[in-house]
Amino acid sequence: MIVELVRASSPPMSASPPSSSACHISHTYLTFPPLRVLSVSSAETCFAFLVDEKMPLPPRAPLRAWSRVPLPRVAKKWAPSRNISTAPAVDHVEPFAPPPPPPSSSPRAEKVRNAAPFSAFLTDTHSRQHNYLRISLTERCNLRCTYCMPSEGVQLSPDRDILTTPEIVYLSSLFVNQGVTKIRLTGGEPTVRKDILPLMQQIGALRRTGLKELALTTNGISLHRKLEGMVEAGLTGVNISLDTLDPLQFPLLTRRNGFEAVMRSIDRVKDLNRAGAGIKLKINIVAMRGVNDDQILPFVAMTESEDLEVRFIEYMPFGGNKWSQKKMLPYEQIRQRIQDKWPTFERMRDERNAVSKTWRVPGFVGRVGFITSMTEDFCGTCNRLRITSDGNLKVCLHGNTEVSLRDLLRAEGDGEPMDEGAFEALRQLELDRSGNGSEGWITKERQLLDVIGAAVKRKKAKHAGMGELEKMENRPMILIGG
């Protein structure tokens, strides 16, 4: 005897078999003799039909209803059939096939679907893929750190030269669409920008299109007042610049007061992390011989009970910071001081493309990092690009070649800053020119990508070494964005 279990689209019993559009044989299993089950359906119920095994089954022969067999509820999820049947297929049952993919909605969608694994525009001639973008939001700062800003200050750009929020969001989107997965907002001091929260909300929304990390580098003076809104916008990491744990030494290094405010911001990050915010907290220290090198061990001691990373940065030359090799404290000397105090100090595995060499004291909760730009460069794995607050693309922190993205963005508007209305007007103009609603805006994107790609392709294998860097013309750090 043969039992065929046929899934039906409607439950009423019938003496005639369901039509091919209403049933489906999915699997075949052997059961108690002399019956063979040809199909077990994943539907809620199925119908079994009894057939004499000795009698040949004519095409479309009527089948007599035998019984109604309940099946357990399962998720309605299609899976390919496992054909282990030893009986002939029933000719009126059509095999199930998944629906074909929807047709391409536009030429642009087709390009995205067939895109290379990583953008050629962001890949340089040394096969480095740049998926990390740092954007400076402002040249302004509420501190005057000696290694960052010349003692006489800096000439600030006119407000109209600074990128607007729509321009920053548009460029962020362009880079994310090309493969950037991490964006860090810097300055100046980014928290002094009045619209930083709505700006971060718009950039944070790019998680839908591939952004994975949204980070911030700050001096911490104002962070504690805005941190909750930033976390809601998608903030995943904070680097706080703090070069001393001595409140009396703080104003000597920063030329301003504010130590208590910085510590309040650090404590606020810890509080939110205890509540589950998951913010990666790092404290950046520029270590200078004879200036703040007595703070090395106190900073390492912070990692004993706190889940954070303190990172010692080798003192680097930038415009106007009066760099000298005598004050530059090499990584190996910092590490040796720590190892003299904690002999079991050990190296950890670094993340891919990490600029920091990560260590720890066994038993301590936190970690210690070293950024060795001067003595052991990490140019070979560099994946970073920078956009300055006035809209220039800088492919290397220590390079003095820049290209303006701002000027290209504003070309159709006679160089005027672009707000939301200007972007919409330009988009409509492009659509009208092309006569094709899907292609108009691509013209501007292509121009920008060509400029970006050419700049990335010119990136050198490595930056100049010590002895040459201090002789090169470069912006002050505050005008680059760190």
Side-chain angles (χ1 to χ4, degrees), residues 364-376:
F364 282 20
V365 177
R367 299 154 303 284
V368 178
F370 301 93
I371 298 180
T372 61
S373 302
M374 300 300 292
T375 59
E376 296 182 21

Side-chain angles (χ1 to χ4, degrees), residues 170-312:
Y170 173 74
L171 289 173
S172 299
S173 176
L174 182 68
F175 276 89
V176 169
N177 287 339
Q178 292 299 313
V180 163
T181 58
K182 180 177 181 179
I183 291 178
R184 179 175 294 278
L185 304 178
T186 68
E189 171 49 41
T191 61
V192 304
R193 183 164 175 137
K194 294 179 180 179
D195 63 347
I196 187 171
L197 289 180
L199 171 59
M200 290 184 69
Q201 289 167 356
Q202 294 179 71
I203 295 178
L206 297 177
R207 286 174 292 182
R208 294 192 295 264
T209 56
L211 183 67
K212 296 179 181 178
E213 296 181 66
L214 176 57
L216 182 78
T217 294
T218 172
N219 60 30
I221 295 290
S222 304
L223 178 65
H224 59 92
R225 295 198 295 267
K226 303 179 180 181
L227 187 58
E228 286 84 350
M230 292 178 174
V231 172
E232 291 176 0
L235 181 70
T236 60
V238 174
N239 290 8
I240 296 180
S241 300
L242 177 64
D243 301 305
T244 180
L245 293 173
D246 182 351
L248 298 179
Q249 191 181 38
F250 183 87
L252 300 178
L253 294 172
T254 64
R255 305 189 185 107
R256 295 290 188 276
N257 294 318
F259 177 79
E260 292 78 11
V262 179
M263 297 307 295
R264 193 178 306 127
S265 292
I266 292 174
D267 290 340
R268 189 63 186 138
V269 174
K270 295 176 186 176
D271 290 342
L272 290 179
N273 278 344
R274 281 190 284 269
I279 306 167
K280 295 180 182 178
L281 175 59
K282 299 176 183 178
I283 298 177
N284 290 343
I285 308 106
V286 177
M288 295 172 282
R289 191 192 311 275
V291 178
N292 65 339
D293 52 340
D294 61 330
Q295 297 295 300
I296 293 173
L297 299 184
F299 272 114
V300 176
M302 286 182 68
T303 68
E304 182 172 5
S305 58
E306 301 291 349
D307 185 14
L308 52 80
E309 181 175 332
V310 297
R311 305 197 305 175
F312 297 102

Side-chain angles (χ1 to χ4, degrees), residues 27 39 111 144 147 153 179 220 222 251 278 282 294 297 322 396 417 440:
H27 297 293
S39 174
K111 291 178 182 178
R144 298 291 184 270
Y147 55 82
S222 304
K282 299 176 183 178
D294 61 330
L297 299 184
K322 299 180 180 178
C396 176

